[in-house]
Amino acid sequence: MTISKIIEIGPLVPAFEEEKIVILFGPTATNELREISVIHEFQDPPNNTLSKGNTLLIGKQAYIIEEVGTEANKNLEELGHISIYFRSGKNEVLPGAVVVSPEIFPTITVGDSIQF
């Protein structure tokens, strides 16, 4: 299990609640990306941690990973970046995204952990 800590929440993150999307980025994110992202920092580097059927824990809310985009693990490892969709869709999952269930937007607080 890979653990990360939320260190910053961009001011525009709540605007994505209606769309049920959270954008994660590591601490090297640009100022523009910080506006829309949850910034997190890994305790240990991830290594192919995103797999269909695994659990994703954000704070105290547990999710099951339903789909993993083709570039999601690479982006997470290199940039700390993935887009998490808390909704299912009929379209193909984007390369840097994961789809999780249940379809509940998480409560996100600085200092919370993310466990992959």
Side-chain angles (χ1 to χ4, degrees):
M1 178 168 288
T2 301
I3 300 173
S4 184
K5 184 176 182 180
I6 296 171
I7 58 173
E8 184 181 332
I9 300 170
L12 299 178
V13 170
F16 290 95
E17 183 170 358
E18 187 175 320
E19 294 294 320
K20 295 186 178 177
I21 301 170
V22 168
I23 301 168
L24 297 182
F25 260 102
T28 60
T30 64
N31 288 335
E32 293 81 13
L33 292 171
R34 287 177 181 276
E35 294 279 313
I36 62 168
S37 301
V38 173
I39 307 299
H40 67 109
E41 192 164 41
F42 288 110
Q43 292 178 355
D44 295 306
N47 184 10
N48 215 26
T49 57
L50 302 171
S51 297
K52 186 174 179 175
N54 282 3
T55 299
L56 170 67
L57 192 65
I58 301 176
K60 292 183 167 78
Q61 178 67 50
Y63 299 92
I64 301 298
I65 298 174
E66 301 291 345
E67 299 289 335
V68 178
T70 57
E71 298 294 315
N73 274 299
K74 180 179 181 244
N75 289 349
L76 187 64
E77 291 166 16
E78 293 178 4
L79 304 170
H81 169 61
I82 55 171
S83 297
I84 305 170
Y85 288 77
F86 301 88
R87 57 181 168 82
S88 57
K90 296 174 178 62
N91 298 325
E92 184 177 334
V93 65
L94 295 172
V98 296
V99 177
V100 299
S101 63
E103 297 183 12
I104 299 169
F105 192 83
T107 300
I108 304 168
T109 307
V110 170
D112 279 354
S113 65
I114 302 172
Q115 297 179 42
F116 301 89

